[in-house]
């Protein structure tokens, strides 16, 4: 895919939009038989790790849109994820006896989208006021937002007749997520964000990161693009939240504290801020490696922290830096 | 009235600790424009050192008036060394990189300290109580009006507030009256120019970290006596102290003091007057305060407003 062309004119070698959409449709359709055979033949533990990798990819790529591509350092991604997770978990748990069989797939699609939307609205609410802040202040404000969500979730036992669980957490959420649902969303998330930022309409995202003042001077509505990045990123974080809630079946407000946000930040930084494929790689690596490090469980987070520090000292641009693995780099990046 | 005064005393006592931690944030921010995320964990290390020393000293049956100074000094020296090391190894090589790189490194250092001390070979994740060197007891009770129960000030409250004020006076003297303090002010005004004037900026920055960490250590020891020692104890006070620094105007030393005391008061008053079931919301108050200040007056109460130049 060569994304260098303008939105209207196709250059030689560029794949037209309908072909991309068709390709995405085919890939998602192909996931169905894969998922069914995985369910049948693959060990539950391996499947579980695969699904968690998928969730991590969605989280990392969506945070990369905010942190890496638009350059707005956010430490509140787990907060958006929590909103999605609780929306999905609460609804699915409450209605689990009414929903089964053929009704389940469409309802689950609806619930994931709803979870994403709730998070996106939060992204809008948080985004508009706090995006006046820059750099480290923004980081702290988003961190504060994430912590507020955790504190509030800890306090709410129920909303009306819906059980939320409070500090005890929410348990026995039906396990709906499977390989198909997760990777269908992975494909959607990666394709949407990649096509957004590597299109002509996506250049302002990079411009805002490179130099906000210069971008504003060129007539770019920087606030619009920053809020857009927050809303889209939050949407996918919410989706990832629904997926992970229905994977484990349990929700605990403590799971979404700022350590979780940092783990996602580490993925983005390790993969290379601004590189979508880098985030995908890092998400795979950082979800798979801990599984192999089970024997060193005590030292796992110590290794994480050291990795982050050494990475920053030695190669602050991350594994891939600004580049992508497969795309030709022809965007307006500096 | 009695309740209110009691809350006031408690608030000032807690606020003194926030003020001590906030001083470290504000000084480092002043010279490096870096939010030292690891500062809260330096405070935790201070508490851990206090615990280790207290266990040793309790074994030796040393009297309080010998043990307490040793503990405070030991923690201050240990944390000062830690602060120096962190700056030297992690922040100095990144000084000419974008600020966000240092911020991410600071988060990494914070994560490293927390998890290192959670490891059971080093300290372990379970909170521990300090051995009873100092029995916390009321030393002052002031009768107020017609109320039957007097306002109580414990010896720990006095230590906490007294140390905070003493440190503050010492720091003011240092910053305003010594040559090194002048260098510090020059560096926080503009690093490059200060270095052109013949100031050894590296030394000034190292010293800032040492001082800030030693102040955090004092706060850590006080809180180790007040609460428990826990590898994650630095998280919340760290963030609250940061909010305090921002509230007072980050980069301003009197601002950190004011912010710290205000933060302590707001928190204790909320805890005291909110209905019990909403008590935990007082933890979120810090963040609400933070977001409000950042939106309304980002330079804080005593901070200078800066204009951004291209």
């Amino acid at each position: 895919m060569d994304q260098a062309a303008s939105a209207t004119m196709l250059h030689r070698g560029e794949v037209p939009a309908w072909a991309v959409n068709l390709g995405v449709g085919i890939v998602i359709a192909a996931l169905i038989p894969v998922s069914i055979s995985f369910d049948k033949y693959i060990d539950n533990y391996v499947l579980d790790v695969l699904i968690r990798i998928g969730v991590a990819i969605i989280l990392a790529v969506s945070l990369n849109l905010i942190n890496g591509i638009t350059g707005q350092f956010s430490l509140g991604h787990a907060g958006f994820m929590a909103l999605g997770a609780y929306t999905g978990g609460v609804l699915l748990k409450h209605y689990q006896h009414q929903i089964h069989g053929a009704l389940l797939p469409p309802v689950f699609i609806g619930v994931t989208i709803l979870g994403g939307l709730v998070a996106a609205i939060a992204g809008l609410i948080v985004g508009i006021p706090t995006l006046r802040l820059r750099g480290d202040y923004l980081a702290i404000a988003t961190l504060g937002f994430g912590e507020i969500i955790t504190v509030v979730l800890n306090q709410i036992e129920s909303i009306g007749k819906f059980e939320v669980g409070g500090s005890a957490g929410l348990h026995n959420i039906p396990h709906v997520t499977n390989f198909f649902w997760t990777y269908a969303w992975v494909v959607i998330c990666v394709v949407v964000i990649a096509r957004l930022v590597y299109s002509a309409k996506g250049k302002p995202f990079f411009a805002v990161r490179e130099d906000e003042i210069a971008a504003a001077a060129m007539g770019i509505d920087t606030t619009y693009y920053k809020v857009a990045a927050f809303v889209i990123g939050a949407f996918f974080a919410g989706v990832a939240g629904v997926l992970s809630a229905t994977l484990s079946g349990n929700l605990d407000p403590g799971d979404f504290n700022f350590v979780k946000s940092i783990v996602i930040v580490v993925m983005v930084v390790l993969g290379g801020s601004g590189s979508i494929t880098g985030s995908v790689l890092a998400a795979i690596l950082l979800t798979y490696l801990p599984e192999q490090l089970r024997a060193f469980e005590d030292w796992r987070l110590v290794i994480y922290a050291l990795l982050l520090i050494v990475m920053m000292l030695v190669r602050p641009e991350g594994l891939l830096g600004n580049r992508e693995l497969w795309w030709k780099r022809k965007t307006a990046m500096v | 009235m009695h309740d209110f005064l009691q809350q006031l005393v408690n608030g000032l006592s807690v606020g003194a600790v926030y003020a001590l931690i906030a001083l470290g944030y504000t000084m480092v921010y002043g010279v490096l424009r870096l939010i030292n995320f690891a500062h809260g964990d330096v405070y935790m290390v201070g508490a851990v050192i206090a615990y280790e020393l207290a266990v040793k000293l309790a074994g030796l049956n040393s009297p309080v008036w010998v043990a307490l100074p040793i503990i405070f000094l030991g923690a201050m020296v240990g944390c000062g060394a830690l602060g120096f090391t962190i700056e030297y190894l992690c922040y100095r090589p990144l000084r000419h990189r974008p600020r966000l790189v240092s911020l991410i490194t600071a988060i990494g250092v914070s994560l490293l300290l927390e998890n290192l001390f959670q490891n059971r070979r080093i300290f372990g994740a379970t909170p521990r109580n300090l051995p009873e060197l100092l029995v916390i007891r009321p030393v002052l009770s002031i009768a107020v009006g017609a109320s039957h129960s007097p306002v109580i000030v414990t010896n720990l409250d006095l230590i906490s507030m007294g140390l905070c004020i003493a440190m503050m006076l010492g720091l003011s003297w240092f910053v305003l009256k010594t040559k090194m303090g002048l260098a510090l002010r020059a560096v926080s005004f503009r690093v490059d120019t200060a270095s052109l004037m013949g100031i050894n900026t590296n030394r000034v920055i190292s010293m800032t970290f040492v001082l800030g960490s030693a102040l955090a250590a004092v706060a850590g020891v006080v809180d180790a006596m007040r609460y428990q020692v826990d590898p994650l104890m630095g998280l919340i006070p760290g963030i609250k102290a940061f909010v305090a620094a921002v509230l007072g105007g980050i980069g301003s030393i009197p601002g950190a003091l004011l912010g710290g005391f205000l933060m302590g008061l707001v928190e204790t008053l909320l805890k005291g007057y909110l209905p019990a079931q909403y008590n935990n919301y007082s933890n979120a108050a810090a963040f609400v305060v933070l977001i409000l200040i950042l939106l309304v007056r980002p330079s804080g109460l005593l901070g200078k407003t800066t204009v951004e130049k291209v």
Side-chain angles (χ1 to χ4, degrees):
Chain A
M1 277 187 287
D2 185 348
Q3 309 284 345
S6 70
T8 46
M9 222 165 52
L10 289 182
H11 281 205
R12 204 155 56 88
E14 194 188 5
V15 187
W18 63 266
V20 176
N21 295 341
L22 186 69
V24 169
I26 292 173
V27 169
I28 291 181
L31 281 173
I32 297 176
V34 172
S35 174
I36 291 171
S37 59
F38 272 17
D39 277 342
K40 215 175 256 172
Y41 301 113
I42 283 195
D43 180 52
N44 265 339
Y45 166 72
V46 178
L47 201 60
D48 185 74
V49 174
L50 280 177
I51 293 175
R52 279 195 285 126
I53 287 177
V55 172
I57 292 176
I58 300 178
L59 287 170
V61 171
S62 59
L63 183 66
N64 199 352
L65 176 65
I66 303 173
N67 278 21
I69 291 163
T70 321
Q72 305 301 308
F73 196 81
S74 161
L75 278 176
H77 217 52
F80 297 129
M81 184 190 177
L83 285 176
Y86 268 86
T87 308
V90 166
L91 286 177
L92 284 170
K93 182 172 181 185
H94 190 77
Y95 291 115
Q96 61 181 323
H97 300 298
Q98 283 95 310
I99 309 163
H100 36 68
L103 205 57
L104 192 57
V107 168
F108 190 59
I109 294 176
V111 168
T112 33
I113 291 176
L114 189 69
L117 285 179
V118 169
I121 291 169
L124 191 69
I125 295 171
V126 177
I128 290 174
T130 51
L131 286 179
R132 287 170 49 197
L133 310 168
R134 302 239 163 110
D136 30 20
Y137 278 114
L138 177 68
I140 291 284
T142 46
L143 173 97
F145 152 77
E147 291 295 300
I148 290 174
I149 289 196
T150 318
V151 170
V152 171
L153 285 177
N154 250 314
Q155 294 297 305
I156 301 178
E157 300 282 341
S158 59
I159 303 172
K161 55 191 165 61
F162 296 102
E163 185 191 345
V164 181
S167 56
L170 189 65
H171 304 285
N172 301 323
I173 301 161
H175 302 263
V176 193
T177 308
N178 59 17
F179 186 84
F180 170 73
W181 291 121
T182 311
Y183 280 85
W185 275 109
V186 169
V187 172
I188 292 172
C189 171
V190 171
V191 169
V192 164
I193 290 179
R195 284 188 58 78
L196 176 68
V197 301
Y198 290 117
S199 69
K201 293 230 183 280
K203 288 194 170 127
F205 286 106
F206 291 103
V208 169
R209 175 186 71 180
E210 293 302 334
D211 193 327
E212 215 180 307
I213 296 169
M218 304 305 279
I220 292 171
D221 183 354
T222 52
T223 311
Y224 173 83
Y225 282 94
K226 289 196 275 182
V227 173
F230 252 87
V231 169
I232 298 167
F235 175 83
F236 284 113
V239 169
V242 179
L243 293 171
S244 76
T246 49
L247 173 69
S248 66
N250 300 307
L251 282 177
D252 180 352
D255 293 343
F256 302 103
N257 63 7
F258 100 111
V259 175
K260 178 74 190 173
S261 292
I262 287 180
V263 168
I264 312 172
V265 169
V266 174
M267 287 175 188
V268 172
V269 170
L270 183 77
S273 303
S275 164
I276 294 171
T277 39
S279 293
V280 174
L281 271 185
I284 296 172
L285 210 66
L286 288 184
T287 318
Y288 175 73
L289 271 187
E291 296 303 320
Q292 297 305 307
L293 292 175
R294 283 265 177 239
F296 309 99
E297 185 59 38
D298 289 351
W299 299 101
R300 189 170 63 93
L301 278 164
V302 176
I303 295 170
Y304 248 69
L306 277 176
L307 194 68
L308 186 63
I309 297 172
V310 171
M311 196 74 196
M312 280 293 117
L313 289 171
V314 180
R315 198 177 157 80
E317 68 272 29
L319 287 177
L320 294 186
N322 255 334
R323 274 157 299 172
E324 298 289 357
L325 267 186
W326 297 291
W327 284 277
K328 274 189 202 153
R329 182 169 160 248
K330 276 193 183 171
T331 47
M333 288 178 285
V334 178
Chain B
M1 189 60 194
H2 158 262
D3 272 356
F4 179 75
L5 283 177
Q6 183 66 59
Q7 301 289 2
L8 216 60
V9 170
N10 297 349
L12 288 176
S13 178
V14 174
V17 168
Y18 291 154
L20 283 172
I21 311 174
L23 281 172
Y25 274 116
T26 232
M27 284 165 65
V28 167
Y29 193 89
V31 294
L32 281 187
R33 303 285 179 275
L34 163 75
I35 297 174
N36 183 12
F37 248 96
H39 195 60
D41 300 291
V42 172
Y43 147 96
M44 172 274 290
V45 174
V48 170
I49 296 176
Y51 172 83
E52 300 293 346
L53 284 176
V55 169
K56 292 258 162 24
L57 290 168
L60 296 172
N61 281 326
S62 51
V64 181
W65 54 271
V66 177
L68 270 190
I70 294 181
I71 290 176
F72 272 106
L73 284 176
M76 284 171 79
V77 171
C79 285
L82 178 70
F84 175 82
T85 319
I86 292 175
E87 195 274 333
Y88 189 80
L89 290 181
C90 302
Y91 303 150
R92 187 168 295 183
L94 297 175
R95 203 159 301 153
H96 299 290
R97 300 262 190 191
R99 270 160 58 197
L100 227 43
V101 174
S102 312
L103 183 71
I104 299 172
T105 315
I107 295 172
V109 174
S110 158
L111 214 57
L112 180 69
L113 287 175
E114 276 160 26
N115 288 298
L116 213 55
F117 279 89
Q118 273 185 48
N119 195 291
R120 62 186 125 75
R121 285 193 197 91
I122 293 170
F123 186 81
T126 30
R128 300 188 203 174
N129 281 315
L130 219 60
E132 281 226 331
L133 279 175
L134 174 78
V135 184
I136 298 176
R137 57 188 163 76
V139 283
L140 282 177
S141 50
I142 307 153
V144 185
S147 169
H148 292 297
S149 47
V151 174
I152 287 168
V153 183
T154 66
N155 46 2
L156 190 61
D157 291 336
L158 284 184
I159 291 177
S160 150
M161 287 185 262
L163 276 175
C164 177
I165 290 165
M167 294 286 159
M168 185 62 202
L169 289 176
L171 193 67
S172 308
W173 171 80
F174 177 80
V175 172
L176 296 175
K177 300 286 179 199
T178 64
K179 217 167 180 182
M180 203 63 183
L182 186 65
L184 177 80
R185 280 181 286 153
V187 170
S188 73
F189 199 73
R190 189 149 303 158
V191 185
D192 306 337
T193 319
S195 133
L196 287 175
M197 297 293 127
I199 293 170
N200 186 344
T201 47
N202 274 338
R203 192 194 288 168
V204 172
I205 291 171
S206 290
M207 186 206 57
T208 310
F209 270 85
V210 171
L211 275 181
S213 305
L215 294 176
V218 174
V221 179
V222 170
D223 271 1
M225 290 192 279
R226 196 191 322 252
Y227 311 113
Q228 284 181 313
V229 183
D230 168 3
L232 295 181
M233 69 189 281
L235 266 177
I236 299 296
I239 291 172
K240 283 181 183 160
F242 173 75
V243 177
V246 176
L247 175 65
I250 196 147
S252 149
I253 290 177
L257 195 73
L258 178 68
F261 279 120
L262 277 180
M263 197 70 215
L265 284 176
V266 167
E267 188 186 290
T268 21
L269 289 179
L270 274 181
K271 262 203 184 111
Y273 289 103
L274 275 181
Q277 71 265 34
Y278 296 120
N279 235 328
N280 283 334
Y281 282 118
S282 68
N283 272 332
F287 299 109
V288 177
V289 170
L290 173 74
I291 291 172
L292 283 181
I293 318 161
L294 288 179
L295 294 177
V296 180
R297 194 181 156 81
S299 52
L301 294 175
L302 301 183
K304 287 185 297 254
T305 329
T306 47
V307 182
E308 183 157 354
K309 294 180 197 140
V310 183

